[in-house]
Amino acid sequence: MIVRENCGKINPERIEEYIAAGGYEALAKVVLNLTPEEVIAEVSASGLRGRGGGGYPTGLKWATVAKMPTGQKYVICNADEGDPGAFMDRSVLESDPHRVLEGMAIAAYAVGANHGYIYIRAEYPLAIDHLQTAIKQAKRHGLMGSQIFGSPFDFKVDIRVGAGAFVCGEETGLIASIEGKRGVPRPRPPYPAVSGLQSEPTLINNVETYANIAPILQKGGEWYASIGTEDSKGTKIFALTGKVENAGLIEVPMGITVRCIVEEMGGGIPDGGTVKAVQTGGPSGGCIPAEKLDTPVSYKSLLELGTMMGSGGMIVMDDKTSMVDVAKFYMEFCREESCGKCIPCRAGTVQLYGLLNKLLNGHGTTRDLELMENLCYMVKETSLCGLGQSAPNPVISTLRYFRDEYEALIPS
Amino acid sequence: MATLSTDRPATPTDKPVLDKRFKAIEIVIKRNHYRQDALIEILHKAQESFGYLELEVLEYVAHKLQLPLSRVYGVATFYHLFSLSPTGKHSCIVCLGTACYVKGAGEIIAALEKKLGVKLGETTSDGEVSLMSARCIGACGIAPAVVFDGEVAGRQTIEAVCDRVTNLMA
Ligand SMILES: Cc1cc2nc3c(=O)[nH]c(=O)nc-3n(C[C@H](O)[C@H](O)[C@H](O)COP(=O)(O)O)c2cc1C
Ligand code: SF4
Ligand code: FES
């Protein structure tokens, strides 16, 4: 374990225990001995990719922000954890908040920022509480504030609490929300790295991404890159839930098979049922059918199956689960969470939901199925932000592997 | 939902300051140095003090931050956690995240709707219980989860939930 190595071992409300476990050593090393370029080189060498869903190479993102002219820059930690059925970030923030703060401070040093924000969902009061305590303690220990470790590097962090909107996990929506506005996404480019919070260059990374940073700087990028597969390095936390014996969080090296996660670590399906599919990527993802369980988990392999890594939700469905109903569940989610800015997503999700409902009620026709499939691609290709672009994924994916379930719903 | 009429008295702020709930909001506004980007923080506090965001409260916040009411109203209606109408004395929030859904949260909601005689998102006519849903409260490991008056209960069944609600109302 890398990210969760301290979880459950140290008291998250005592900075002394984090420090005793080697905490803030990486920050000291970075601030005192390394140049920002060297830090970014190390992160790039690690091969770390964003854990928030997109999987963008972290080193590359840092380099883009660092390249922007000196001046006001921000780092943001995305702790909105919107995928319904995932709670990795919550656990990291609750049980090891300093790890995230240290990662953010290192990032700020590397890109030339002096101000950070953590955008966290209001549904996580304990995590908010532990973060506030952690920030206070870090300030008292001189690990946050001005002239950290006696160097010219200043860094402070503020917490912003969300108010329940999935679309605020999208980076431009999140920035609007931090500015106290409706969390509506805007077209990119310009990317936040160029023009983000208050139109200044802004680095946005996910909680788990930041939690990987201190160990990478401690042990080196090469060490990190030795774990995992060709395109996916390090470990990943999954929230294993659904019809599985041992539900909970697991941190596994990339490249492990889905079967190993579900059957060996998860203990298989209770009451002797059989796995029908495993859903990953939440409302933006898709499913892995039982016959593909031996696929190793990596960004690339999951994309090839028509799903995605996502933030790490992994929901096991047994033979009693209706895949069409699951698709409807996600479509309802996207319909409710669509911010309404662009028509394909605002109207398309309503129509897709209606068609799925019609099918499930036994009133669907072959024509409806065709219409639905076409509409999926239209919404995917013409929506403004990631929410709309990926909203049809659960339908497309279940159609790909379980078309017979859809067809069986059409009265002959 | 509250409708906005334009012919209200133009000075909504003089009287209510006497109410100590408005004082609580004012403290947060001051602590945020009247910054307009702290609007969401302030609305959280306002909702905590009043239980929901009534029009008078939105007007107060708009006035204090020197923001147009439309902007404050726009933000208040955008986010799910802000409520513009009063909620019941007790709350029953059923998690409708994926893990809870696959484990039968849908059936639990149907049973509660029947028992309470309300639809999801509504409050019983006697103002006792509000039936609401949430999107993953991070308790997926003990799905399906229901939050009764702020207290999380895991591995719920239809019978258990109905019993709890009966107790809440007693
Ligand atoms: C609709 C939508 C919701 C998202 N929700 C989250 C989220 O809850 N948490 C998160 O870290 N990233 C989320 N993202 C991804 C972010 O936009 C962004 O890519 C990410 O925070 C970047 O961090 P990373 O590079 O460390 O992954 C979401 C994206 C979209 C389009
Ligand atoms: S795709 Fe959907 S969520 Fe994204 S901007 Fe358009 S309407 Fe809003
Ligand atoms: S899905 Fe209900 S707690 Fe996560």
Side-chain angles (χ1 to χ4, degrees):
Chain A
M1 287 210 288
I2 300 173
V3 174
R4 282 165 50 79
E5 59 188 356
N6 289 332
C7 293
K9 297 210 183 90
I10 64 167
N11 178 345
E13 296 185 278
R14 283 176 47 87
I15 190 172
E16 294 81 3
E17 298 196 14
Y18 180 67
I19 294 174
Y24 288 108
E25 274 173 24
L27 180 63
K29 174 176 161 190
V30 162
V31 171
L32 300 174
N33 304 329
L34 299 182
T35 64
E37 294 74 34
E38 286 169 328
V39 177
I40 292 172
E42 207 65 58
V43 173
S44 298
S46 75
L48 175 65
R49 295 172 61 171
R51 302 294 194 233
Y56 193 80
T58 307
L60 200 55
K61 203 189 259 186
W62 289 23
T64 315
V65 183
K67 265 204 296 279
M68 294 298 292
T70 354
Q72 182 66 57
K73 295 181 188 177
Y74 296 99
V75 295
I76 294 178
C77 172
N78 188 341
D80 198 41
E81 195 151 63
D83 171 0
F87 51 107
M88 306 74 51
D89 295 350
R90 167 182 160 200
S91 123
V92 172
L93 292 167
E94 282 180 2
S95 39
D96 200 7
H98 286 288
R99 173 62 85 89
V100 179
L101 294 179
E102 186 175 6
M104 286 180 76
I106 295 172
Y109 176 79
V111 303
N114 63 7
H115 194 171
Y117 283 95
I118 300 176
Y119 186 85
I120 182 164
R121 61 199 302 243
E123 290 87 339
Y124 290 176
L126 188 65
I128 297 173
D129 195 51
H130 285 182
L131 271 174
Q132 276 163 342
T133 309
I135 292 174
K136 253 186 244 145
Q137 293 175 344
K139 277 188 193 151
R140 212 178 314 127
H141 281 73
L143 297 163
M144 202 182 276
S146 35
Q147 302 183 347
I148 295 169
F149 295 115
S151 76
F153 173 59
D154 303 340
F155 184 57
K156 66 166 177 180
V157 171
D158 285 316
I159 297 177
R160 282 283 179 268
V161 178
F166 174 63
V167 70
C168 289
E170 197 279 337
E171 50 194 28
T172 59
L174 185 148
I175 288 172
S177 187
I178 292 186
E179 292 171 348
K181 301 181 187 141
R182 291 162 69 94
V184 178
R186 63 157 176 79
R188 299 173 307 173
Y191 286 88
V194 174
S195 172
L197 188 58
Q198 317 290 359
S199 304
E200 305 290 353
T202 303
L203 173 75
I204 300 193
N205 276 130
N206 163 266
V207 171
E208 197 182 330
T209 313
Y210 283 122
N212 274 299
I213 296 300
I216 289 176
L217 271 303
Q218 272 286 34
K219 302 182 190 162
E222 218 168 289
W223 158 79
Y224 194 85
S226 68
I227 308 163
T229 71
E230 188 70 36
D231 71 302
S232 310
K233 303 298 187 190
T235 60
K236 174 82 195 87
I237 310 179
F238 288 100
L240 186 63
T241 55
K243 304 280 180 64
V244 59
E245 197 67 55
N246 314 317
L249 293 179
I250 44 165
E251 183 174 347
V252 293
M254 295 279 196
I256 190 173
T257 63
V258 184
R259 184 182 303 285
C260 176
I261 295 178
V262 173
E263 292 182 354
E264 284 170 39
M265 310 181 85
I269 302 231
D271 311 323
T274 50
V275 183
K276 182 180 198 172
V278 176
Q279 211 279 350
T280 65
S284 316
C287 59
I288 303 164
E291 67 269 18
K292 305 269 189 204
L293 283 187
D294 289 311
T295 311
V297 171
S298 77
Y299 288 96
K300 200 166 123 220
S301 64
L302 291 184
L303 270 184
E304 279 165 7
L305 289 184
T307 175
M308 60 185 238
M309 180 80 75
S311 57
M314 200 174 254
I315 294 133
V316 183
M317 324 262 175
D318 67 0
D319 44 4
K320 291 201 270 307
T321 318
S322 152
M323 299 313 285
V324 186
D325 188 54
V326 169
K328 183 188 95 166
F329 168 80
Y330 282 119
M331 194 51 70
E332 185 173 11
F333 179 88
C334 292
R335 184 197 67 180
E336 304 240 316
E337 296 299 331
S338 166
C339 81
K341 178 166 176 162
C342 60
I343 297 167
C345 164
R346 181 180 67 216
T349 51
V350 173
Q351 294 308 324
L352 285 170
Y353 175 78
L355 286 168
L356 284 165
N357 231 351
K358 191 171 171 194
L359 281 166
L360 278 163
N361 289 336
H363 303 307
T365 61
T366 324
R367 171 97 189 85
D368 288 329
L369 196 57
E370 232 171 75
L371 190 66
M372 187 174 80
E373 211 166 356
N374 285 339
L375 196 53
C376 278
Y377 290 100
M378 202 271 279
V379 172
K380 201 174 160 62
E381 276 150 32
T382 55
S383 289
L384 170 65
C385 85
L387 193 154
Q389 287 160 9
S390 62
N393 286 357
V395 180
I396 295 174
S397 163
T398 44
L399 268 173
R400 171 164 165 191
Y401 296 113
F402 300 99
R403 184 175 281 273
D404 51 333
E405 283 191 33
Y406 283 88
E407 283 164 354
L409 288 168
I410 298 173
S412 45
Chain B
M1 191 167 294
T3 45
L4 291 178
S5 68
T6 45
D7 49 31
R8 294 178 57 88
T11 49
T13 45
D14 303 337
K15 173 181 57 87
V17 212
L18 302 169
D19 187 331
K20 75 171 184 287
R21 293 177 299 180
F22 280 99
K23 274 258 152 59
I25 305 177
E26 190 170 15
I27 292 171
V28 180
I29 295 180
K30 282 213 177 104
R31 200 187 303 142
N32 283 288
H33 310 290
Y34 293 86
R35 286 179 61 124
Q36 298 179 337
D37 61 5
L39 177 58
I40 294 173
E41 252 64 40
I42 291 157
L43 291 179
H44 271 303
K45 185 69 203 178
Q47 176 148 311
E48 196 186 297
S49 308
F50 285 84
Y52 73 104
L53 299 172
E54 53 183 305
L55 184 53
E56 213 177 351
V57 174
L58 295 180
E59 285 173 336
Y60 176 79
V61 172
H63 179 82
K64 284 283 168 189
L65 292 181
Q66 301 200 349
L67 281 169
L69 181 57
S70 58
R71 162 84 188 278
V72 177
Y73 185 78
V75 168
T77 49
F78 183 81
Y79 295 95
H80 299 301
L81 293 183
F82 294 135
S83 163
L84 274 74
S85 51
T87 46
K89 259 205 333 245
H90 300 285
S91 67
C92 173
I93 308 173
V94 183
C95 176
L96 264 186
T98 322
C100 291
Y101 186 79
V102 235
K103 288 240 176 153
E107 285 90 71
I108 289 181
I109 290 199
L112 284 173
E113 284 183 334
K114 200 156 147 233
K115 182 171 170 69
L116 295 170
V118 295
K119 286 252 164 56
L120 187 62
E122 292 177 352
T123 303
T124 49
S125 51
D126 57 2
E128 279 291 319
V129 184
S130 293
L131 177 62
M132 289 171 288
S133 67
R135 287 282 153 64
C136 189
I137 51 168
C140 320
I142 49 168
V146 182
V147 189
F148 299 97
D149 284 345
E151 191 194 316
V152 179
R155 299 192 222 293
Q156 293 296 289
T157 58
I158 290 178
E159 297 78 54
V161 176
C162 288
D163 283 353
R164 274 299 279 273
V165 169
T166 314
N167 287 339
L168 277 187
M169 289 193 293

